[in-house]
């Protein structure tokens, strides 16, 4: 009876904690996405710890955040630069850095990973943090293509695990896909929705399906453009122009592939194809595979479908 009572009290305590607003956020990964999430969270009054494996990476992240904030302040406080400087300092005070994730998560409400798109790496990360984080702490992944349920399977908090997919550049893009996996509790899902709104974002509800909403539509669209070109039914230049002038898209599919990174798009489509090999929308592209094998990954390498200066 005493055991049942203790379990009931723990359940009530966890439930009450989940209803409380998320105030302290730990971001794992100091790259563009992680730094962007940290900036937005700190700008909206959250206490943020940005975690990565080395101090050098974190110094670069901090410098990037400060530069981004200066651009925001210059636009927002054009007539009062002193207010802009005060804004920058206020936000920066909300951000600290660490290389010790296990220590940091002991006092956090939410952990968001923005690390490499590798299932095992994410599972290992959350499996380790699950042992260190308090019972009320919510885990979320910023994955753009992996299954939330698969990532969460390495933890004992399936009910407190969801997805928060931000878009790059995070300070500018308003959308956040909030993903509810089969094990995600309604309380956790609601908390993630409210957190997204607190960041000034527009959340949309997603199921834990390949690519969620945006990438599930976007990646097959880009790959179908490549297949159209492979069949000789249109040049990449004409396809890009057609989609910009005919569909009103700001970028054509080949321009977008170069911007996103050909290796990133290949990684996503290969993962989906492995899970659902009979789906023609997930079929690999020989041309895309060839360019990636040649190291032509898009803007980041100077050449992809197009050459970039």
């Amino acid at each position: 009876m005493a055991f049942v009572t203790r379990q009931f009290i723990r359940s009530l305590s966890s439930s009450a904690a989940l209803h409380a607003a998320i105030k302290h956020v730990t971001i794992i990964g100091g790259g563009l996405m992680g730094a962007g999430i940290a900036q937005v969270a700190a700008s909206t009054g959250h206490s943020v710890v940005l975690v990565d494996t080395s101090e050098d990476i974190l110094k670069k992240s901090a410098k990037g955040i400060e530069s981004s904030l200066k651009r925001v302040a210059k636009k927002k406080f054009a007539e009062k630069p002193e207010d802009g400087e005060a804004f920058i300092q206020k936000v920066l005070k909300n951000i600290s850095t660490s290389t010790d994730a296990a220590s940091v998560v002991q006092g956090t409400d939410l952990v968001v990973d923005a690390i490499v798109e590798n299932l095992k790496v994410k599972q290992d990360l959350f499996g380790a943090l699950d042992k260190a984080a308090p019972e009320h702490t919510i885990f979320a992944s910023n994955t753009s293509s992996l299954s939330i349920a698969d990532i969460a399977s390495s933890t004992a908090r399936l009910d407190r695990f969801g997805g928060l997919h931000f878009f790059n550049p995070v300070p500018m893009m308003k959308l956040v896909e909030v993903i509810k996996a089969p094990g995600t509790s309604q309380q956790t899902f609601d908390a993630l929705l409210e957190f997204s709104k607190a960041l000034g974002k527009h959340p949309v509800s997603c199921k834990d399906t390949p690519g969620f909403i945006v990438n599930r539509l976007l990646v097959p669209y880009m790959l179908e453009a490549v297949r159209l070109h492979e069949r000789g039914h249109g040049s990449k230049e004409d396809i890009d122009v057609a989609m910009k002038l005919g569909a009103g898209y700001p970028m054509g599919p080949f321009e977008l592939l170069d911007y996103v990174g050909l290796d990133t798009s290949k990684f996503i489509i290969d993962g989906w194809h492995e899970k659902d090999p009979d789906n023609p929308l997930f079929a690999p592209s020989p041309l895309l595979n060839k360019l990636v094998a040649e190291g032509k990954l898009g803007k980041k390498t100077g050449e992809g479908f197009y050459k970039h200066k």
Side-chain angles (χ1 to χ4, degrees):
M1 181 67 182
F3 172 77
V4 173
T5 302
R6 286 197 300 273
Q7 289 294 97
F8 179 67
I9 290 172
R10 286 180 66 190
S11 175
L12 286 177
S13 175
S14 177
S15 175
L18 281 173
H19 277 299
I22 292 170
K23 296 179 180 178
H24 189 286
V25 185
T26 298
I27 312 295
I28 311 293
L32 281 175
M33 290 302 295
I37 298 167
Q39 177 184 326
V40 171
S43 297
T44 49
H46 297 83
S47 178
V48 179
V49 181
L50 185 60
V51 179
D52 213 305
T53 54
S54 77
E55 292 292 347
D56 287 343
I57 293 173
L58 290 169
K59 286 177 183 177
K60 185 177 179 181
S61 302
K63 186 177 180 180
I65 291 171
E66 186 170 1
S67 296
S68 178
L69 286 171
K70 285 179 179 178
R71 290 192 294 272
V72 173
K74 186 176 181 180
K75 185 177 180 180
K76 190 175 180 180
F77 303 97
E79 297 181 5
K80 292 186 176 181
E82 64 278 7
D83 289 352
E85 183 58 32
F87 162 77
I88 293 169
Q89 295 308 315
K90 183 179 179 180
V91 174
L92 291 176
K93 283 182 181 179
N94 288 336
I95 303 174
S96 59
T97 61
S98 176
T99 56
D100 187 355
S103 175
V104 170
V105 300
Q106 292 176 25
T108 200
D109 301 317
L110 173 66
V111 178
V112 181
D113 102 84
I115 62 173
V116 63
E117 282 284 88
N118 182 294
L119 179 59
K120 188 177 186 308
V121 173
K122 289 181 185 288
Q123 287 176 330
D124 289 347
L125 170 71
F126 282 114
L129 297 184
D130 190 39
K131 298 177 178 66
E135 188 173 340
H136 80 275
T137 303
I138 296 173
F139 286 178
S141 178
N142 181 56
T143 180
S144 61
S145 63
L146 300 174
S147 163
I148 298 298
D150 287 349
I151 300 171
S153 67
S154 64
T155 75
R157 62 180 77 211
L158 302 186
D159 60 325
R160 286 150 288 153
F161 206 120
L164 282 175
H165 181 215
F166 293 84
F167 291 80
N168 190 38
V170 180
M172 301 292 294
M173 301 293 278
K174 295 291 288 184
L175 184 68
V176 177
E177 291 179 321
V178 183
I179 301 98
K180 189 172 192 268
T184 309
S185 72
Q186 189 61 45
Q187 286 179 326
T188 296
F189 186 66
D190 290 343
L192 292 175
L193 284 172
E194 290 305 312
F195 173 68
S196 301
K197 292 175 184 176
L199 298 184
K201 301 299 185 184
H202 189 123
V204 292
S205 303
C206 302
K207 298 295 184 183
D208 190 16
T209 55
F212 316 127
I213 293 176
V214 173
N215 280 338
R216 179 61 180 80
L217 295 172
L218 185 62
V219 175
Y221 151 72
M222 294 191 295
L223 265 292
E224 188 56 27
V226 178
R227 296 185 195 104
L228 188 72
H229 178 53
E230 286 175 326
R231 293 193 297 267
H233 293 171
S235 70
K236 59 181 182 293
E237 293 84 2
D238 282 348
I239 294 170
D240 277 349
V241 169
M243 293 311 297
K244 287 189 287 187
L245 300 185
Y249 288 8
M251 300 174 74
F254 292 95
E255 292 171 328
L256 187 55
L257 278 161
D258 274 7
Y259 178 79
V260 170
L262 273 58
D263 54 334
T264 301
S265 299
K266 172 178 161 53
F267 176 85
I268 292 171
I269 209 70
D270 285 352
W272 294 355
H273 178 68
E274 185 178 343
K275 281 200 164 189
D276 190 1
D278 296 326
N279 191 328
L281 293 176
F282 299 163
S285 158
L287 178 55
L288 180 65
N289 291 345
K290 178 178 179 291
L291 289 171
V292 171
E294 293 172 351
K296 298 174 181 177
L297 309 182
K299 291 192 74 172
K300 59 188 173 185
T301 60
E303 184 176 358
F305 284 102
Y306 295 107
K307 290 186 177 181
H308 305 273
K309 293 181 179 180

